[in-house]
Amino acid sequence: MGNRPAEDTAIISETELRGIVAQILERNGCRSEVAEILAANCVGAERDGSVSHGLFRVEGYIASLRSGWVDGAAVPVLEDKAPGCLAVDAKNGFTQIALDLAREEFTARIRQNGIALLLIRNSHHLAALWPDVEPFAEEGLIALSMINSMTCSVPQGAKKPVFGTNPFALAAPAGKEGMLVFDMATTTTAHGDVQVARREGHMLPPGTGVDRDGNPTGDPAKILDGGALVPFGGHKGSLISLMVELLCAGLGGGHFSWEFDWSGHPGAATPHTGQIFIGIDPSKAGGLPFGMRAETLVEKLREAGLSHLPGRRRHDLRAARAGQVPVAAARLAHLRDLAEGRAG
Amino acid sequence: MGNRPAEDTAIISETELRGIVAQILERNGCRSEVAEILAANCVGAERDGSVSHGLFRVEGYIASLRSGWVDGAAVPVLEDKAPGCLAVDAKNGFTQIALDLAREEFTARIRQNGIALLLIRNSHHLAALWPDVEPFAEEGLIALSMINSMTCSVPQGAKKPVFGTNPFALAAPAGKEGMLVFDMATTTTAHGDVQVARREGHMLPPGTGVDRDGNPTGDPAKILDGGALVPFGGHKGSLISLMVELLCAGLGGGHFSWEFDWSGHPGAATPHTGQIFIGIDPSKAGGLPFGMRAETLVEKLREAGLSHLPGRRRHDLRAARAGQVPVAAARLAHLRDLAEGRAG
């Protein structure tokens, strides 16, 4: 994930790479606006070193689209529920498109009311959450987001998986420090990282998940083949994961992580659930400017010896790469083939 | 914490016990309304078996009040910041009084807007968070609350304590299942439980905190005497704790956990920080009734073998005790002495 490419690594501009990925997505059934939004998300993650949510996801998108599981041409519908509450029926399309539709009005509601809620249902998500929340922090707003996924995690104290990886993300402006942003699976690790570990043949820490008999394991193959992940942090992390199910599916109207059946869609990889956003306008709170207070917190953390601030490694890599993304040459060639229809 | 008293245990009605605690608080400088609210909170925790936040806290209240650190007679002031955002300056009093002042208007704003934010600053809190959020769930609303406390927790990757125990709580209506409610310190354990462990002479799990040299320990004395707690769940729990600091102090206008100096007030035990609430009206979200969806989640968790639902143990104990609270006889006698001014 460093910035110096190995010999078999190509350097390609973010713009060109986005074009290639968008072309792949269009070729597989996305309308052009959908393809562009998903490509920007996917290439942005690759650029920032979030490889488990970057180009690695392209095959998942293709398989989900081809199997008819997700509708790449879906046109989401915005619903006005209350002065501080908007909802979007994603019509079996991607949440990012639903968010894009709602963004302007949601931002206006946040600024008018001080806080607003956006509920997205009937939607699919196969990406990181930080690309969803960061743009709000760039506008001076605080954004929280949660999304439930597919059943793959055994709640603390239970015997069978119920929860998804159920990530939880926050982005907040931080004055001179840019922004504070985190995006965490509420499982021990993200599902994408388990898949990467299996592909690359390395073990995860013991207790990352359980095997098919419920025994703790760090073997990605045992976790993926009939086993499951577990929530991070024992019963407390399990409660955070429960909150994500409750708010995304219970409140937001999406499926719970176990409520969709993709068995008739071989290759389907995009959980069909719900996502919620809570947006806050800190300028409405009064008192000292929020950014100054966030700077104070960052300074204190630095003084206490914290070297990695949340989100900073990605942002540093983004700045260092300056729009140029390293990609394994063979991988890039394959992506070009997919884009041109020379590979399936 | 069982329901059958030992021989040296007295049974007293919740009402009478509230009266005794309120009298103690009034005798130490609380105006009567403040004394009644805090006594109800404290006795409610004892009744529910939350002993670390029950009568155990009485001496902390007394010491904080007598030292002049907290103002038991303070009259909080409600501020209207935006249609969805209220704030309260607690005027160096207790957050529970600020919440009581704001409750009616905050509830109205939640119902009008679908979501609302309440920011409490210049406030003290020495109690559990679930008594703050449960009343909203009883009204059919979802409530989230966070509060930062006093520096006693070393962020993951740092060398010195920065964060407080920084609890995070949620209460949500759950139809026939009553409510789902959790209240967790974002440290490995609550500070009150470390104090109880030291008093009772038992060890906590290894890694609950660090000693004064930064070595992991489960010895409550080493954690309390120059050592510190750590966040639950490694870097992910540490990020949740960071969020609590950022939102309570950065957004809400309270002190960060390290920003108050109580050294001139010997015995002061009440952190002088900030607390925030996010309230959501699930009836505004549309779709299936939220309570029904919460029931579905509870059923699924039960099927998966989860025996303890969040908050259920407390609620079962509350029902079983039916307003009668067991208290060690010697402890009750001492509380009566404090109330009557026969003990100091």
Side-chain angles (χ1 to χ4, degrees):
Chain A
M1 274 198 277
N3 204 29
R4 184 167 313 170
E7 271 184 47
D8 59 351
T9 298
I11 301 289
I12 178 168
S13 82
E14 198 181 331
T15 311
E16 188 185 352
L17 188 54
R18 271 210 300 266
I20 294 168
V21 174
Q23 206 177 335
I24 295 170
L25 293 168
E26 276 202 71
R27 189 172 285 278
N28 286 281
C30 287
R31 59 188 171 87
S32 65
E33 189 196 353
V34 173
E36 276 164 29
I37 290 171
L38 293 181
N41 180 305
C42 184
V43 170
E46 188 73 21
R47 171 203 68 204
D48 282 12
S50 295
V51 291
S52 65
H53 292 82
L55 298 175
F56 175 68
R57 293 299 198 192
V58 169
E59 277 73 12
Y61 282 118
I62 293 175
S64 277
L65 287 160
R66 285 192 188 166
S67 74
W69 173 241
V70 59
D71 183 0
V75 180
V77 175
L78 183 64
E79 300 165 356
D80 188 347
K81 297 288 190 184
C85 180
L86 300 172
V88 184
D89 180 346
K91 300 284 183 185
N92 200 36
F94 292 97
T95 62
Q96 289 88 353
I97 317 309
L99 173 61
D100 188 68
L101 170 70
R103 187 184 309 279
E104 192 177 325
E105 187 60 25
F106 182 48
T107 300
R109 300 296 177 97
I110 298 167
R111 294 200 197 281
Q112 280 160 22
N113 294 294
I115 186 168
L117 178 64
L118 173 63
L119 309 168
I120 299 174
R121 67 182 189 281
N122 196 6
S123 55
H124 296 251
H125 200 286
L126 191 67
L129 272 188
W130 58 260
D132 298 346
V133 290
E134 284 194 0
F136 293 98
E138 282 163 8
E139 298 285 326
L141 305 173
I142 300 168
L144 275 155
S145 186
M146 309 174 205
I147 187 162
N148 65 321
S149 60
M150 69 290 182
T151 291
C152 65
S153 169
V154 182
Q156 175 83 4
K159 292 177 179 64
K160 290 189 289 192
V162 174
F163 301 147
T165 52
N166 293 6
F168 180 88
L170 171 87
K176 289 179 298 193
E177 298 288 346
M179 68 173 75
L180 287 168
V181 53
F182 67 75
D183 170 8
M184 60 169 85
T186 57
T187 39
T188 48
T189 189
H191 206 261
D193 286 317
V194 186
Q195 295 170 274
V196 169
R198 174 158 70 174
R199 191 184 63 177
E200 296 181 351
H202 67 78
M203 295 291 282
L204 295 161
T208 294
V210 290
D211 65 17
R212 60 173 67 243
D213 301 316
N215 303 306
T217 183
D219 182 341
K222 287 184 176 169
I223 292 169
L224 293 172
D225 299 334
L229 286 164
V230 295
F232 86 98
H235 78 279
K236 293 187 181 189
S238 193
L239 290 169
I240 303 280
S241 208
L242 182 150
M243 175 180 74
V244 175
E245 288 289 342
L246 190 66
L247 296 183
C248 294
L251 178 69
H255 292 125
F256 283 115
S257 290
W258 68 88
E259 285 187 323
F260 57 87
D261 177 12
W262 52 12
S263 60
H265 299 267
T270 57
H272 185 186
T273 58
Q275 180 174 13
I276 76 160
F277 290 82
I278 294 173
I280 296 172
D281 180 355
S283 75
K284 295 296 183 297
L288 290 171
F290 179 79
M292 273 181 57
R293 294 292 282 158
E295 285 170 15
T296 300
L297 177 57
V298 168
E299 280 160 27
K300 184 73 178 179
L301 288 168
R302 231 181 242 126
E303 270 174 40
L306 197 76
S307 52
H308 285 109
L309 290 162
R312 193 57 55 91
R313 202 175 337 206
R314 278 194 304 99
H315 288 203
D316 288 349
L317 196 54
R318 186 183 306 174
R321 284 179 165 170
Q324 299 295 319
V325 186
V327 184
R331 176 74 176 142
L332 183 58
H334 181 63
L335 292 173
R336 287 190 198 279
D337 287 346
L338 287 170
E340 300 296 337
R342 292 188 300 266
Chain B
M1 275 196 275
N3 203 31
R4 186 167 309 170
E7 273 186 44
D8 60 350
T9 300
I11 301 290
I12 180 169
S13 82
E14 198 181 332
T15 311
E16 188 185 351
L17 189 55
R18 272 211 301 264
I20 294 169
V21 174
Q23 207 177 335
I24 295 170
L25 293 167
E26 274 203 70
R27 190 172 285 279
N28 286 281
C30 288
R31 58 187 170 87
S32 64
E33 190 197 351
V34 173
E36 277 164 28
I37 290 170
L38 294 181
N41 180 305
C42 185
V43 170
E46 188 73 21
R47 173 202 64 204
D48 282 12
S50 296
V51 293
S52 64
H53 292 83
L55 298 174
F56 177 67
R57 293 297 199 194
V58 168
E59 277 73 12
Y61 282 118
I62 295 175
S64 277
L65 287 160
R66 287 192 187 164
S67 74
W69 172 241
V70 59
D71 183 359
V75 179
V77 176
L78 183 65
E79 301 164 355
D80 188 348
K81 297 290 190 184
C85 181
L86 300 172
V88 184
D89 181 346
K91 299 286 183 184
N92 200 36
F94 293 96
T95 61
Q96 289 87 353
I97 319 308
L99 173 60
D100 188 68
L101 171 70
R103 185 183 310 279
E104 193 178 326
E105 187 60 27
F106 182 48
T107 301
R109 300 296 176 96
I110 298 167
R111 295 200 196 280
Q112 280 160 23
N113 294 295
I115 187 169
L117 178 65
L118 173 63
L119 309 168
I120 299 174
R121 68 183 190 280
N122 195 7
S123 57
H124 296 251
H125 201 287
L126 192 66
L129 272 188
W130 58 260
D132 298 346
V133 290
E134 283 195 0
F136 293 99
E138 283 164 7
E139 298 286 324
L141 304 173
I142 300 168
L144 275 156
S145 185
M146 309 174 205
I147 186 162
N148 64 322
S149 61
M150 69 290 183
T151 291
C152 66
S153 170
V154 182
Q156 174 83 4
K159 293 178 178 62
K160 290 188 290 192
V162 174
F163 301 147
T165 52
N166 293 7
F168 180 89
L170 170 86
K176 289 179 297 191
E177 298 289 344
M179 67 173 75
L180 287 169
V181 53
F182 67 75
D183 169 9
M184 60 169 86
T186 57
T187 40
T188 48
T189 189
H191 207 261
D193 287 316
V194 185
Q195 293 169 275
V196 168
R198 174 157 72 174
R199 190 183 64 176
E200 297 182 350
H202 66 80
M203 296 292 282
L204 296 162
T208 294
V210 291
D211 66 17
R212 61 173 67 247
D213 301 315
N215 304 306
T217 182
D219 183 339
K222 288 184 177 169
I223 292 169
L224 293 171
D225 300 334
L229 285 165
V230 295
F232 85 98
H235 78 278
K236 294 187 180 188
S238 194
L239 289 168
I240 302 281
S241 209
L242 181 149
M243 175 180 74
V244 175
E245 288 291 341
L246 190 66
L247 296 184
C248 294
L251 177 70
H255 292 125
F256 282 116
S257 290
W258 68 90
E259 285 187 324
F260 57 87
D261 178 12
W262 52 12
S263 60
H265 300 266
T270 56
H272 185 185
T273 57
Q275 179 173 13
I276 77 159
F277 291 83
I278 294 173
I280 296 172
D281 181 355
S283 75
K284 295 296 183 295
L288 290 171
F290 179 78
M292 271 181 58
R293 295 291 283 158
E295 287 170 15
T296 300
L297 177 57
V298 168
E299 280 160 27
K300 184 74 177 178
L301 288 168
R302 231 180 243 128
E303 270 173 39
L306 198 75
S307 51
H308 285 109
L309 291 162
R312 192 58 53 94
R313 203 176 336 209
R314 279 194 305 96
H315 288 204
D316 287 349
L317 197 54
R318 185 184 303 174
R321 284 181 166 168
Q324 300 295 317
V325 186
V327 184
R331 176 72 176 145
L332 183 58
H334 182 64
L335 291 173
R336 287 190 198 278
D337 287 347
L338 288 169
E340 299 296 337
R342 293 188 300 265

